[in-house]
Amino acid sequence: MDQKTTALPHWDMTPVYPALDSPEFQAAFERLTGLVSEMETYLGETAQAAGPDAAPADLAAVAGGLVERFNAVAELGGTLRAYLTGFTAVDSFNTQARKIESQYQVLGARMDDLQTRFRAWFGRIAGRLDEILPLNPAAQAHAFALREAAERSQYQMSPAEEALAAELSLSGGRAWNKLQGTVTSQLTVDFELDGNQQRLSMPALINLRSHPDEDVRRRAFEAETAAWVSVREPLAAAMNGIKGETLTLAKRRGRPDPLDAALELARIDRATLDAMLGAMADSLPMFVRYFRAKARLIGKERLAWWDLFAPAGNAERVYGWPETRDFLLENFTGFSPDLASLVQRAFDSRWIDAESRPGKRGGAFCMGVPAIKQSRVLTNFDGSLDQVSTVAHELGHAFHNACIYAAGKTMLQSRTPMTLAETASIMNETIVQNAILQRAASDEEALGILETGLIGDSQVIVDIYSRFLFEREVFARRAKAELSADELCEIMTWAQKEAYGAGLDERYLQPYMWTWKPHYYSVDLPFYNFPYAFGLLFGLGLYAIYQQRGAAFVPEYQALLASTGEGTAADLAARFGIDIRQKDFWAGSLNVIAQRVERYIQLVG
């Protein structure tokens, strides 16, 4: 069934609260306000009175009290945030939702301050944690999170400074982030497609990068570039504001650079990052071979930017929404009945918002709704095999959430680092790609399937490498002065040349990639790029173990997903005999992709 003739779903947020103006939602908002106020009082009175010299039993009781209050605030706060995102992410024209979201953000600043004070208290008593944790069941159950909080407290400003930073962020970094999201989601372009003049949202226009007709791809690329030119000044201002704030806070908190905070959030060290990036850099010539083979296939010497996502073989068919559901269920059932059950529920209960439309954010994401133990998935589905893979990817996040919920983990126990957050998604993608490849009826079909997979692999390795280079250079220059839109384009072009090398025609790169990638526009999440590469390569490594061990691997895998908030990436990887600080592991995972490239080149001839 052609997806164009099938209505694509919008997600259903009513299981959370009936409506934005419902008594249930208003009561929840008031309850969160009360929980925040109560924890502020607890920190300001009870916890403040329990200093490092207090009796062990007293300290243990306060630690347990803080854990219980933190979890209550985080669960309700996360639920309200997800509920509001359920409106603003799909309709930036919704003024009611945006107004309430701004009210929530004021409360969010207070919650950020609570987290800072929470860490500070555990930092004060860090030397006594081993003594007091066994005395309180709630504290002992959260030992990893509390030790991590104590360690992170060393990179905090004074309580007054942290409170001011959180409050100022509402009109600083968070405001700039909101501007970027609003500008990019509301931008539309008039475009002629199939003989009809249409007004397309930017996600719909960007999706044309995979159109089989090069003329359409080229014109879409030109239209996209012209659109970004029209809004580049406010987006450059947003980039400068956010990166400037990140640099200022990193310096005031005593960090050597913003990357230090990113590594801490990812729960990896620089040795791990260097090993992975080194293996990625070594793999770039292999990807150049793939790009050059693809260029030969479409009759060119080198690819233009608009050719990167061009389809090959016969993988051009459109997948209907029901067909996508059935395909995923068929292939996930053999891996894990729990995964298949989760996917069935996501489709049946309208957890997924799939239609691309004006006002909706581009890309795709999954968010947990902790109070009801569910997830919601956003995609911009166009029926391509790539989008089928995207749906599988995001449902991997939902499955990860489901494993955490099923294990009864609290909010503190389930705070997964960005690196491990991609594990289930990559596993899902790999299952889907291998299933499609195994049933290929011809070399032409196999070529199309490999093409779709290698497009994704090249994005996560080559393009992510360019994004890391770009962001590192932006931070280096922003520390000295603001950057113009031209300078941001210059840095992006340089980074793309470094990563793609001889694989692309240097005349036709995309210097405006920095405008629409939301990952660059977060004060709290600098360098939100390398975790994707980590996730792909770690996921491929785990899939290789699954191939060796079969069904016996799955329970351990699900247990790993349930515990990603309770250990470092290195410690959790060690469960499967993986040493992520060694370049060999990453090279081994990249070798899986290299085998795909070799088969692709053989088929191209």
Side-chain angles (χ1 to χ4, degrees):
M1 182 183 295
D2 190 329
Q3 69 91 13
K4 294 179 181 178
T5 66
T6 305
L8 293 174
H10 296 187
W11 54 29
D12 179 13
M13 301 304 296
T14 57
V16 193
Y17 303 108
L20 285 168
D21 56 0
S22 67
E24 292 87 346
F25 175 72
Q26 293 171 8
F29 204 105
E30 291 172 6
R31 180 167 172 262
L32 178 61
T33 302
L35 288 173
V36 169
S37 296
E38 198 274 334
M39 187 171 177
E40 287 172 337
T41 300
Y42 191 84
L43 276 163
E45 296 177 2
T46 307
Q48 186 65 30
D53 297 328
D58 293 338
L59 288 178
V62 173
L66 284 172
V67 164
E68 293 168 359
R69 286 164 175 79
F70 187 97
N71 281 326
V73 169
E75 180 175 288
L76 185 53
T79 300
L80 289 172
R81 182 177 64 249
Y83 182 69
L84 289 167
T85 300
F87 293 90
T88 59
V90 299
D91 183 11
S92 62
F93 299 103
N94 188 326
T95 56
Q96 179 191 22
R98 291 177 63 185
K99 180 179 179 180
I100 299 173
E101 185 178 56
S102 69
Q103 294 169 347
Y104 173 86
Q105 288 177 342
V106 174
L107 194 57
R110 291 171 62 189
M111 288 188 281
D112 289 344
D113 182 52
L114 285 178
Q115 180 167 261
T116 299
R117 295 167 64 187
F118 177 90
R119 289 175 179 167
W121 188 83
F122 283 100
R124 285 174 59 204
I125 61 141
R128 300 191 63 186
L129 283 176
D130 290 342
E131 176 187 5
I132 69 169
L133 290 179
L135 302 179
N136 184 280
Q140 182 63 35
H142 296 80
F144 175 80
L146 300 186
R147 288 193 173 96
E148 184 178 61
E151 184 177 346
R152 289 187 179 181
S153 70
Q154 66 181 305
Y155 295 115
Q156 291 187 172
M157 301 179 289
S158 70
E161 288 174 312
E162 288 289 354
L164 178 61
E167 189 171 346
L168 287 175
S169 183
L170 296 175
S171 53
R174 292 188 181 184
W176 287 120
N177 174 270
K178 186 184 296 185
L179 174 68
Q180 189 269 344
T182 300
V183 168
T184 57
S185 67
Q186 294 188 1
L187 191 61
T188 58
V189 172
D190 289 324
F191 190 81
E192 186 273 317
L193 183 63
D194 299 329
N196 298 314
Q197 193 72 11
Q198 305 180 28
R199 192 154 192 83
L200 300 179
S201 65
M202 294 308 291
L205 185 70
I206 291 170
N207 278 345
L208 293 177
R209 63 190 181 178
S210 59
H211 197 282
D213 187 338
E214 183 184 1
D215 179 66
V216 172
R217 297 196 307 272
R218 178 186 54 77
R219 289 190 298 107
F221 169 83
E222 292 169 350
E224 178 194 343
T225 301
W228 297 135
V229 169
S230 73
V231 294
R232 70 182 204 149
E233 293 305 329
L235 296 180
M239 179 77 77
N240 277 290
I242 287 167
K243 296 311 183 191
E245 183 173 331
T246 300
L247 283 161
T248 299
L249 290 175
K251 182 178 180 181
R252 293 299 298 265
R253 288 170 175 153
R255 292 192 181 276
D257 52 41
L259 180 59
D260 189 65
L263 292 171
E264 184 179 85
L265 288 172
R267 294 194 187 127
I268 65 173
D269 53 25
R270 289 182 188 254
T272 297
L273 181 63
D274 289 345
M276 184 183 74
L277 289 175
M280 289 168 64
D282 291 346
S283 77
L284 295 178
M286 174 260 291
F287 282 101
V288 168
R289 295 185 67 229
Y290 155 62
F291 294 136
R292 299 299 288 270
K294 180 169 182 173
R296 293 197 304 274
L297 183 66
I298 64 175
K300 292 187 170 185
E301 182 178 349
R302 295 192 183 179
L303 298 175
W305 189 268
W306 59 79
D307 297 320
L308 275 172
F309 295 88
N314 67 349
E316 302 172 9
R317 74 186 186 94
V318 175
Y319 287 77
W321 189 247
E323 182 184 8
T324 298
R325 175 200 59 211
D326 294 344
F327 175 76
L328 296 180
L329 286 172
E330 175 188 350
N331 289 288
F332 290 153
T333 298
F335 176 74
S336 166
D338 291 338
L339 172 58
S341 177
L342 181 282
V343 171
Q344 183 76 62
R345 188 181 180 196
F347 276 88
D348 291 348
S349 301
R350 289 175 52 203
W351 289 9
I352 307 172
D353 194 295
E355 184 189 37
S356 177
R357 54 196 185 276
K360 180 177 177 180
R361 287 213 171 202
F365 67 78
C366 173
M367 59 182 180
V369 190
I372 61 172
K373 307 296 187 263
Q374 296 180 8
S375 296
R376 291 295 184 272
V377 167
L378 180 144
T379 69
N380 284 274
F381 188 77
D382 64 359
S384 66
L385 180 57
D386 176 65
Q387 282 295 309
V388 173
S389 183
T390 296
V391 174
H393 179 104
E394 300 305 333
L395 286 171
H397 287 301
F399 182 60
H400 193 158
N401 291 340
C403 289
I404 290 171
Y405 296 148
K409 301 296 184 181
T410 68
M411 297 300 288
L412 271 172
Q413 292 169 332
S414 59
R415 303 208 308 183
T416 297
M418 295 180 290
T419 39
L420 297 175
E422 299 301 319
T423 303
S425 299
I426 298 303
M427 183 66 75
N428 276 14
E429 282 193 53
T430 307
I431 291 170
V432 166
Q433 182 175 356
N434 287 350
I436 296 175
L437 195 56
Q438 287 174 5
R439 72 179 192 180
S442 65
D443 285 351
E444 185 74 4
E445 185 176 359
L447 180 64
I449 295 165
L450 284 168
E451 178 68 71
T452 298
L454 288 173
I455 285 173
D457 293 338
S458 63
Q459 282 295 290
V460 177
I461 301 302
V462 184
D463 204 66
I464 287 294
Y465 188 74
S466 76
R467 295 183 217 175
F468 178 84
L469 295 179
F470 169 82
E471 192 160 7
R472 186 174 63 183
E473 183 65 14
V474 166
F475 272 123
R477 297 197 196 185
R478 182 62 183 87
K480 301 174 183 176
E482 289 190 358
L483 287 77
S484 67
D486 283 340
E487 193 169 4
L488 290 168
C489 289
E490 170 204 326
I491 298 171
M492 182 58 77
T493 301
W494 162 79
Q496 289 172 356
K497 288 180 179 178
E498 289 291 307
Y500 286 93
L504 293 186
D505 188 329
E506 291 187 359
R507 296 173 299 172
Y508 305 113
L509 300 177
Q510 179 46 287
Y512 286 98
M513 276 286 287
W514 58 270
T515 57
W516 67 280
K517 283 293 181 184
H519 300 144
Y520 296 129
Y521 296 86
S522 172
V523 172
D524 301 322
L525 295 175
F527 291 100
Y528 197 3
N529 36 57
F530 69 79
Y532 283 99
F534 186 107
L536 171 64
L537 299 178
F538 187 65
L540 287 175
L542 287 181
Y543 187 81
I545 296 173
Y546 164 64
Q547 288 181 307
Q548 296 167 4
R549 297 182 52 195
F553 164 85
V554 177
E556 292 183 34
Y557 166 71
Q558 292 184 205
L560 171 71
L561 295 179
S563 60
T564 50
E566 298 179 286
T568 66
D571 289 342
L572 293 172
R575 293 185 183 183
F576 295 93
I578 296 171
D579 185 353
I580 61 174
R581 295 186 179 92
Q582 297 301 315
K583 196 175 180 182
D584 289 347
F585 166 71
W586 306 107
S589 293
L590 283 159
N591 188 55
V592 175
I593 301 174
Q595 293 172 16
R596 298 172 185 170
V597 170
E598 290 305 318
R599 186 176 178 193
Y600 179 92
I601 292 174
Q602 290 173 3
L603 291 172
V604 170

